[in-house]
Amino acid sequence: MTDAVATITLDRPEAMNSLTAEVKVALLAALRRAASDQQVRAVLLTGSGRAFCAGQDLHEHAANLEAGRGLADTVRAHYNPIVELLTTMDKPVVAAINGVAAGAGASLAFACDLRVASEKAKFALAFAGIGLAPDSGASWTLQRLVGLGRASELMLLGEPVDAARALELGLVTRVVPADEVLKTAAELARRLADGPTRAFAATKQALAYAATHALPEALILEADLQDECVATRDHLDATTSFLAKERPVFTGR
Ligand code: T3D
C-alpha cells in the first residue's frame, strides 16, 4: 500500500490471470483487508502481464466438471462475495485494465467504480462462447453502464470490444497508451484517496440504492446520507477552506 491506495494485482500471467479457487480466495481476502483498513482510502485492481483477467480458469473448471462438482458453487462461494464487496465497499475502486478482460474478468472490471484502459485492452463477454450465461454481476452492471440494448448485444453476440469502442460505449473512463495505464490509474486512485472518503462512501451507497428504488425513496436516502456528510470533519474543513479561498485538504474523517 502507498499513499492510502491499496493495489491488488492478479498475478497468474501465464494463464492470463484466470481465476482459480485459490486466486479467488486470495482476492476476496485482499479486498476484505483493504475494505476494513482505515488507512486505505482507495483501491486499485489490475493484472500482471498482458491480461487483466481471463475469467474462470477453464482448466480447473473442466476438472470440476469431470469430478461432477456443482457448477454454481464457485459463483456463490467466490464470485458473488467478491463482486458484492467491490460494489459496496465504502471506498472507491479503480480498475487498471492492462489487457484483455474476459468472462468473469470483465465482470470484475464492471464492478469497479472507475476503469482506466490500455489502448491494448479489450473486453470479451465470453460466457456464451462456452455455453454459459453471464455471472459475477455482469447482467446487473453492464446494462447500467451501457444500456439494455448494448448489454444484450455484447452478451449474446460475444464479440470482443476494443478499447476505443469501450470508451465510445462509456464502458471505460479513459484510454491511455499501454505503458501508462498503471500510472494513470494509480494517479486517479491517489486523487480519490485524497478526497472526501466518507462523502465517496455515501455516493457509492446512493448510486447503488437509486439503481433499484424509485425517486421518492432515493430522495429520502440522499437526505439521510447528507446528514451524515454534513457532520464530517471533511465537510466542515472544506467549507471553511472555501470561504478562506484555500484548497481543501480532506483527511477522510
Ligand atoms: O462455475 C463456473 O466456474 C462458472 C464461472 C464462469 C465465469 C467465467 O469467467 S466464464 C468465461 C471464462 N473465460 C473465457 O472463456 C475466456 C477464455 N480465454 C480466451 O478466450 C482467450 O484466451 C483470451 C481472449 C482471454 C485471450 O486470447 P489470446 O489469443 O490473447 O491468448 P491465448 O493464447 O488464448 O491464451 C494464452 C494462455 O492463457 C493460454 O495458455 P497456453 O496455451 O499458452 O498454455 C490459454 O490457455 C491461457 N488462458 C486464457 N484464458 C484462460 C486460460 N487458461 C485458463 N483459463 C482461462 N480462462
Side-chain angles (χ1 to χ4, degrees):
M1 186 182 83
T2 52
D3 303 325
V5 175
T7 300
I8 299 172
T9 305
L10 300 167
D11 193 20
R12 290 185 74 222
E14 70 288 355
M16 309 290 273
N17 302 320
S18 55
L19 301 161
T20 57
E22 189 185 354
V23 172
K24 285 175 275 188
V25 167
L27 173 58
L28 182 58
L31 289 169
R32 282 185 174 146
R33 275 194 302 278
S36 63
D37 185 342
Q38 296 302 308
Q39 303 302 313
V40 172
R41 294 170 64 192
V43 177
L44 178 61
L45 179 63
T46 191
S48 65
R50 68 183 181 93
F52 175 72
C53 174
Q56 173 63 37
D57 182 298
L58 292 177
H59 297 294
E60 187 180 85
H61 183 66
N64 283 340
L65 284 177
E66 183 75 25
R69 281 191 278 271
L71 281 190
D73 287 357
T74 187
V75 174
R76 294 194 184 91
H78 297 131
Y79 287 114
N80 290 358
I82 289 170
V83 167
E84 265 196 72
L85 188 51
L86 281 170
T87 51
T88 60
M89 87 162 69
D90 60 3
K91 27 200 114 170
V93 185
V94 178
I97 304 162
N98 50 306
V100 65
S107 306
L108 289 185
F110 300 156
C112 295
D113 298 299
L114 298 177
R115 283 157 291 282
V116 175
S118 150
E119 281 170 352
K120 292 185 178 161
K122 67 177 176 186
F123 292 93
L125 275 300
F127 301 98
I130 55 167
L132 293 179
D135 63 26
S136 311
S139 62
W140 197 91
T141 49
L142 184 61
Q143 64 172 305
R144 280 167 174 79
L145 290 168
V146 302
L148 175 61
R150 283 184 168 138
S152 305
E153 180 189 325
L154 296 178
M155 284 170 165
L156 294 174
L157 300 181
E159 287 165 4
V161 178
D162 66 18
R165 177 80 177 131
L167 186 64
E168 202 175 274
L169 289 172
L171 253 189
V172 296
T173 314
R174 56 185 75 152
V175 175
V176 297
D179 59 357
E180 288 175 25
V181 66
L182 194 55
K183 180 172 157 281
T184 307
E187 281 167 4
L188 207 53
R190 171 64 214 240
R191 186 171 131 193
L192 292 165
D194 285 343
T197 305
R198 292 177 63 184
F200 287 158
T203 304
K204 283 186 71 161
Q205 201 183 328
L207 287 171
Y209 185 85
T212 54
H213 290 77
L215 179 61
E217 293 162 302
L219 289 172
I220 291 168
L221 183 74
E222 281 182 359
D224 290 346
L225 291 171
Q226 209 62 302
D227 277 342
E228 291 174 19
C229 290
V230 163
T232 63
R233 185 80 253 163
D234 277 342
H235 171 64
L236 294 176
D237 289 351
T239 307
T240 306
S241 299
F242 175 80
L243 296 175
K245 298 193 183 301
E246 290 169 355
R247 255 178 93 87
V249 176
F250 295 107
T251 59
R253 287 178 295 137

Coordinates of all heavy atoms in Angstrom, one line a residue, residues 12-19 24 50-51 53-61 64-65 70-75 79 100-107 122 124-130 132-136 160, ligand 1:
R12 N -1.2 -14.2 -12.3 CA -1.0 -15.5 -13.0 C -0.8 -15.3 -14.5 O -1.7 -15.7 -15.3 CB -2.2 -16.5 -12.8 CG -2.4 -17.0 -11.4 CD -3.6 -18.0 -11.4 NE -3.2 -19.3 -12.0 CZ -4.0 -19.9 -12.9 NH1 -5.2 -19.5 -13.2 NH2 -3.6 -21.1 -13.4
P13 N 0.2 -14.5 -14.8 CA 0.3 -14.0 -16.2 C 0.3 -15.2 -17.2 O -0.2 -15.0 -18.4 CB 1.6 -13.2 -16.2 CG 2.3 -13.6 -15.0 CD 1.3 -14.0 -14.0
E14 N 0.9 -16.3 -16.8 CA 1.0 -17.5 -17.8 C -0.4 -18.0 -18.2 O -0.5 -18.6 -19.2 CB 1.9 -18.6 -17.2 CG 1.3 -19.4 -16.0 CD 1.2 -18.6 -14.7 OE1 1.7 -17.4 -14.6 OE2 0.7 -19.1 -13.7
A15 N -1.4 -17.7 -17.4 CA -2.8 -18.2 -17.7 C -3.7 -17.0 -17.8 O -4.9 -17.1 -17.5 CB -3.2 -19.2 -16.6
M16 N -3.2 -15.9 -18.2 CA -3.9 -14.6 -18.5 C -4.7 -14.2 -17.2 O -5.8 -13.7 -17.3 CB -5.0 -14.8 -19.6 CG -4.4 -15.4 -20.9 SD -3.3 -14.2 -21.8 CE -4.5 -13.3 -22.7
N17 N -4.1 -14.5 -16.0 CA -4.7 -14.1 -14.7 C -6.1 -14.7 -14.6 O -7.0 -14.1 -13.9 CB -4.7 -12.6 -14.5 CG -3.3 -12.0 -14.6 OD1 -2.4 -12.6 -14.1 ND2 -3.2 -10.9 -15.3
S18 N -6.3 -15.9 -15.2 CA -7.6 -16.5 -15.0 C -7.7 -16.9 -13.5 O -6.7 -17.1 -12.8 CB -7.8 -17.7 -15.9 OG -6.7 -18.6 -15.8
L19 N -8.9 -17.2 -13.1 CA -9.2 -17.3 -11.7 C -9.4 -18.7 -11.2 O -10.4 -19.4 -11.6 CB -10.5 -16.5 -11.4 CG -10.4 -15.0 -11.7 CD1 -11.8 -14.3 -11.9 CD2 -9.5 -14.2 -10.7
K24 N -9.2 -16.7 -6.2 CA -10.5 -16.1 -5.8 C -10.5 -15.9 -4.3 O -10.9 -14.8 -3.8 CB -11.7 -16.8 -6.3 CG -11.9 -16.7 -7.8 CD -13.1 -17.5 -8.3 CE -12.6 -18.9 -8.6 NZ -13.6 -19.7 -9.3
R50 N 0.1 -9.5 -19.9 CA -0.7 -8.9 -21.0 C -2.2 -9.0 -20.8 O -2.9 -8.6 -21.7 CB -0.2 -9.5 -22.3 CG -0.6 -10.9 -22.6 CD 0.0 -11.3 -23.9 NE -0.3 -12.7 -24.2 CZ -1.4 -13.1 -24.9 NH1 -2.2 -12.2 -25.4 NH2 -1.6 -14.4 -25.1
A51 N -2.7 -9.6 -19.7 CA -4.1 -9.6 -19.5 C -4.5 -8.9 -18.2 O -3.7 -8.9 -17.2 CB -4.6 -11.1 -19.4
C53 N -7.7 -10.0 -16.8 CA -8.2 -11.3 -16.2 C -9.0 -12.0 -17.2 O -10.0 -11.4 -17.8 CB -9.0 -11.0 -15.0 SG -9.8 -12.4 -14.3
A54 N -8.7 -13.3 -17.5 CA -9.4 -14.0 -18.5 C -10.6 -14.8 -17.9 O -11.1 -15.8 -18.5 CB -8.5 -15.0 -19.2
G55 N -11.1 -14.4 -16.7 CA -12.3 -15.1 -16.1 C -11.9 -16.4 -15.5 O -10.8 -16.6 -15.1
Q56 N -12.9 -17.2 -15.3 CA -12.7 -18.5 -14.7 C -11.6 -19.3 -15.3 O -11.5 -19.3 -16.6 CB -14.0 -19.3 -14.8 CG -14.0 -20.7 -14.3 CD -13.6 -20.8 -12.8 OE1 -14.1 -20.0 -12.0 NE2 -12.9 -21.8 -12.5
D57 N -10.7 -19.9 -14.5 CA -9.7 -20.8 -15.0 C -10.4 -22.0 -15.6 O -11.1 -22.8 -14.9 CB -8.7 -21.2 -14.0 CG -7.6 -22.1 -14.5 OD1 -8.0 -23.2 -15.0 OD2 -6.5 -21.7 -14.5
L58 N -10.3 -22.2 -16.9 CA -11.1 -23.2 -17.6 C -10.5 -24.6 -17.4 O -11.2 -25.6 -17.5 CB -11.3 -22.9 -19.0 CG -12.2 -21.6 -19.3 CD1 -12.3 -21.3 -20.7 CD2 -13.6 -21.8 -18.7
H59 N -9.2 -24.7 -17.0 CA -8.6 -26.0 -16.7 C -9.3 -26.5 -15.4 O -9.7 -27.6 -15.3 CB -7.1 -25.9 -16.6 CG -6.4 -25.5 -17.9 ND1 -6.5 -26.3 -19.0 CD2 -5.8 -24.4 -18.2 CE1 -5.8 -25.7 -20.0 NE2 -5.4 -24.5 -19.5
E60 N -9.3 -25.6 -14.4 CA -9.9 -26.0 -13.1 C -11.4 -26.3 -13.3 O -11.9 -27.3 -12.7 CB -9.7 -24.9 -12.1 CG -10.1 -25.3 -10.7 CD -9.9 -24.1 -9.7 OE1 -10.8 -23.3 -9.6 OE2 -8.8 -24.1 -9.1
H61 N -12.0 -25.5 -14.1 CA -13.4 -25.7 -14.4 C -13.7 -27.0 -15.0 O -14.6 -27.7 -14.6 CB -13.9 -24.5 -15.3 CG -15.4 -24.6 -15.6 ND1 -16.3 -24.3 -14.6 CD2 -16.1 -24.8 -16.7 CE1 -17.5 -24.4 -15.2 NE2 -17.4 -24.7 -16.4
N64 N -13.4 -29.7 -12.5 CA -14.6 -29.7 -11.6 C -15.8 -30.4 -12.3 O -16.5 -31.2 -11.7 CB -15.0 -28.3 -11.2 CG -14.1 -27.7 -10.2 OD1 -13.5 -28.4 -9.4 ND2 -14.1 -26.4 -10.1
L65 N -15.9 -30.1 -13.6 CA -17.0 -30.8 -14.4 C -16.8 -32.3 -14.4 O -17.7 -33.1 -14.2 CB -17.0 -30.3 -15.8 CG -17.5 -28.9 -16.1 CD1 -17.3 -28.6 -17.6 CD2 -19.0 -28.8 -15.8
G70 N -20.6 -29.2 -8.3 CA -21.6 -28.3 -8.7 C -21.0 -27.1 -9.3 O -20.1 -26.4 -8.8
L71 N -21.6 -26.7 -10.5 CA -21.0 -25.6 -11.3 C -21.2 -24.3 -10.6 O -20.4 -23.4 -10.7 CB -21.7 -25.6 -12.6 CG -21.3 -26.6 -13.7 CD1 -21.9 -26.2 -15.0 CD2 -19.8 -26.5 -13.7
A72 N -22.4 -24.1 -9.9 CA -22.7 -22.8 -9.4 C -22.0 -22.6 -8.1 O -22.0 -21.5 -7.5 CB -24.2 -22.6 -9.2
D73 N -21.3 -23.6 -7.6 CA -20.6 -23.5 -6.3 C -19.7 -22.3 -6.2 O -19.7 -21.5 -5.3 CB -19.9 -24.8 -5.9 CG -20.8 -25.9 -5.5 OD1 -22.1 -25.6 -5.5 OD2 -20.4 -27.0 -5.2
T74 N -18.8 -22.2 -7.3 CA -17.8 -21.1 -7.2 C -18.5 -19.8 -7.4 O -18.0 -18.8 -6.9 CB -16.7 -21.4 -8.3 OG1 -15.7 -20.4 -8.1 CG2 -17.2 -21.2 -9.7
V75 N -19.6 -19.7 -8.1 CA -20.3 -18.5 -8.3 C -20.8 -18.0 -6.9 O -20.5 -16.8 -6.5 CB -21.4 -18.6 -9.3 CG1 -22.3 -17.4 -9.4 CG2 -20.9 -19.0 -10.7
Y79 N -17.3 -15.9 -6.5 CA -17.5 -14.7 -7.3 C -18.5 -13.7 -6.6 O -18.3 -12.5 -6.6 CB -18.1 -15.0 -8.7 CG -17.0 -15.7 -9.6 CD1 -17.1 -17.0 -10.0 CD2 -15.9 -14.9 -10.0 CE1 -16.1 -17.6 -10.8 CE2 -15.0 -15.5 -10.8 CZ -15.1 -16.8 -11.2 OH -14.1 -17.3 -12.0
V100 N -6.7 -7.9 -21.9 CA -8.0 -8.5 -22.1 C -8.7 -8.7 -20.7 O -8.1 -9.1 -19.7 CB -7.9 -9.8 -22.9 CG1 -7.2 -10.9 -22.2 CG2 -9.3 -10.3 -23.3
A101 N -10.0 -8.4 -20.7 CA -10.8 -8.7 -19.6 C -12.0 -9.6 -20.1 O -12.8 -9.1 -20.9 CB -11.4 -7.5 -19.0
A102 N -12.0 -10.9 -19.8 CA -12.9 -11.8 -20.4 C -13.8 -12.5 -19.4 O -13.3 -12.8 -18.2 CB -12.2 -12.9 -21.2
G103 N -15.0 -12.8 -19.7 CA -15.9 -13.5 -18.8 C -16.0 -12.9 -17.5 O -16.2 -11.6 -17.4
A104 N -15.8 -13.6 -16.4 CA -15.8 -13.0 -15.1 C -14.8 -12.0 -14.8 O -14.9 -11.1 -13.9 CB -15.7 -14.1 -14.0
G105 N -13.7 -12.0 -15.7 CA -12.7 -10.9 -15.6 C -13.3 -9.6 -16.0 O -13.0 -8.5 -15.5
A106 N -14.2 -9.6 -17.1 CA -14.9 -8.4 -17.5 C -15.8 -8.0 -16.4 O -16.0 -6.8 -16.0 CB -15.6 -8.7 -18.8
S107 N -16.5 -9.0 -15.8 CA -17.4 -8.7 -14.7 C -16.7 -8.0 -13.5 O -17.3 -7.0 -12.9 CB -18.1 -10.0 -14.1 OG -18.7 -10.7 -15.1
K122 N -9.1 -5.2 -24.2 CA -10.3 -5.5 -24.8 C -11.2 -6.2 -23.8 O -10.7 -6.9 -22.9 CB -10.2 -6.2 -26.1 CG -9.6 -7.6 -26.0 CD -9.5 -8.3 -27.4 CE -8.9 -9.7 -27.2 NZ -8.6 -10.4 -28.4
A124 N -14.2 -9.1 -23.5 CA -14.9 -10.2 -24.2 C -15.9 -10.8 -23.2 O -15.6 -11.4 -22.2 CB -13.8 -11.3 -24.5
L125 N -17.2 -10.6 -23.6 CA -18.2 -11.3 -22.8 C -18.3 -12.7 -23.2 O -19.2 -13.1 -23.9 CB -19.6 -10.5 -23.0 CG -19.8 -9.3 -22.1 CD1 -19.8 -9.6 -20.6 CD2 -18.8 -8.2 -22.4
A126 N -17.3 -13.5 -22.7 CA -17.0 -14.8 -23.2 C -18.0 -15.9 -22.7 O -17.8 -17.0 -23.1 CB -15.6 -15.1 -22.9
F127 N -18.9 -15.5 -21.9 CA -19.8 -16.6 -21.3 C -20.5 -17.5 -22.3 O -20.4 -18.7 -22.3 CB -20.8 -15.9 -20.4 CG -20.2 -15.1 -19.3 CD1 -20.2 -13.7 -19.4 CD2 -19.8 -15.6 -18.1 CE1 -19.6 -12.9 -18.4 CE2 -19.2 -14.9 -17.1 CZ -19.2 -13.5 -17.2
A128 N -21.2 -16.8 -23.3 CA -22.0 -17.6 -24.2 C -21.0 -18.5 -25.1 O -21.4 -19.6 -25.5 CB -22.8 -16.6 -25.1
G129 N -19.8 -18.0 -25.3 CA -18.8 -18.8 -26.1 C -18.6 -20.2 -25.5 O -18.2 -21.1 -26.3
I130 N -18.8 -20.3 -24.2 CA -18.6 -21.7 -23.6 C -20.0 -22.2 -23.0 O -20.0 -23.0 -22.1 CB -17.5 -21.7 -22.5 CG1 -17.7 -20.6 -21.5 CG2 -16.1 -21.6 -23.2 CD1 -16.9 -20.9 -20.2
L132 N -22.4 -20.6 -21.4 CA -22.8 -20.1 -20.1 C -23.5 -18.8 -20.2 O -23.4 -18.1 -21.2 CB -21.6 -20.0 -19.1 CG -20.9 -21.2 -18.7 CD1 -19.7 -20.9 -17.8 CD2 -21.8 -22.2 -18.0
A133 N -24.3 -18.5 -19.1 CA -24.9 -17.2 -19.0 C -24.0 -16.3 -18.2 O -23.1 -16.8 -17.5 CB -26.3 -17.3 -18.3
P134 N -24.2 -14.9 -18.3 CA -23.3 -14.0 -17.5 C -23.4 -14.3 -16.0 O -24.5 -14.6 -15.5 CB -23.8 -12.6 -17.9 CG -25.0 -12.8 -18.7 CD -25.1 -14.2 -19.1
D135 N -22.3 -14.1 -15.4 CA -22.3 -14.2 -13.9 C -21.4 -13.1 -13.3 O -20.9 -12.2 -14.0 CB -22.0 -15.6 -13.4 CG -20.6 -16.0 -13.7 OD1 -19.7 -15.2 -13.9 OD2 -20.4 -17.3 -13.8
S136 N -21.2 -13.2 -12.0 CA -20.4 -12.2 -11.3 C -20.9 -10.8 -11.5 O -20.1 -9.8 -11.6 CB -18.9 -12.3 -11.7 OG -18.5 -13.7 -11.7
P160 N -15.6 -9.3 -29.2 CA -14.7 -8.5 -28.4 C -14.9 -7.0 -28.6 O -15.2 -6.6 -29.7 CB -13.3 -8.9 -28.8 CG -13.4 -10.0 -29.8 CD -14.9 -10.2 -30.1
Ligands
T3D1 O1 -18.9 -22.4 -12.3 C1 -18.1 -21.7 -13.0 O2 -16.9 -21.9 -13.0 C2 -18.7 -20.7 -13.9 C3 -18.0 -19.4 -13.9 C4 -17.7 -18.8 -15.1 C5 -17.2 -17.5 -15.2 C6 -16.4 -17.2 -16.4 O3 -15.4 -16.4 -16.4 S1 -16.8 -18.0 -17.9 C7 -15.6 -17.3 -19.1 C8 -14.3 -18.0 -19.0 N1 -13.3 -17.3 -19.8 C9 -13.2 -17.5 -21.1 O4 -14.0 -18.2 -21.7 C10 -12.1 -16.8 -21.8 C11 -11.1 -17.9 -22.4 N2 -9.9 -17.3 -23.0 C12 -10.0 -16.7 -24.2 O5 -11.0 -16.6 -24.8 C13 -8.7 -16.2 -24.7 O6 -7.6 -16.9 -24.1 C14 -8.5 -14.7 -24.4 C15 -9.5 -13.9 -25.3 C16 -8.7 -14.3 -23.0 C17 -7.0 -14.3 -24.8 O7 -6.7 -14.8 -26.1 P1 -5.2 -14.7 -26.7 O8 -5.2 -15.3 -28.0 O9 -4.7 -13.4 -26.4 O10 -4.4 -15.7 -25.7 P2 -4.5 -17.3 -25.6 O11 -3.4 -17.9 -26.5 O12 -5.9 -17.8 -25.9 O13 -4.2 -17.6 -24.1 C18 -2.8 -17.5 -23.5 C19 -2.7 -18.6 -22.5 O14 -3.6 -18.3 -21.4 C20 -3.1 -20.0 -23.0 O15 -2.3 -20.9 -22.3 P3 -1.1 -21.7 -23.1 O16 -1.8 -22.4 -24.2 O17 -0.1 -20.7 -23.5 O18 -0.6 -22.6 -22.0 C21 -4.5 -20.1 -22.6 O19 -4.9 -21.5 -22.4 C22 -4.5 -19.5 -21.2 N3 -5.8 -19.0 -20.8 C23 -6.5 -18.0 -21.4 N4 -7.7 -17.9 -20.8 C24 -7.8 -18.9 -19.9 C25 -6.6 -19.6 -19.9 N5 -6.3 -20.6 -19.1 C26 -7.3 -21.0 -18.2 N6 -8.5 -20.4 -18.2 C27 -8.7 -19.3 -18.9 N7 -9.9 -18.7 -18.8

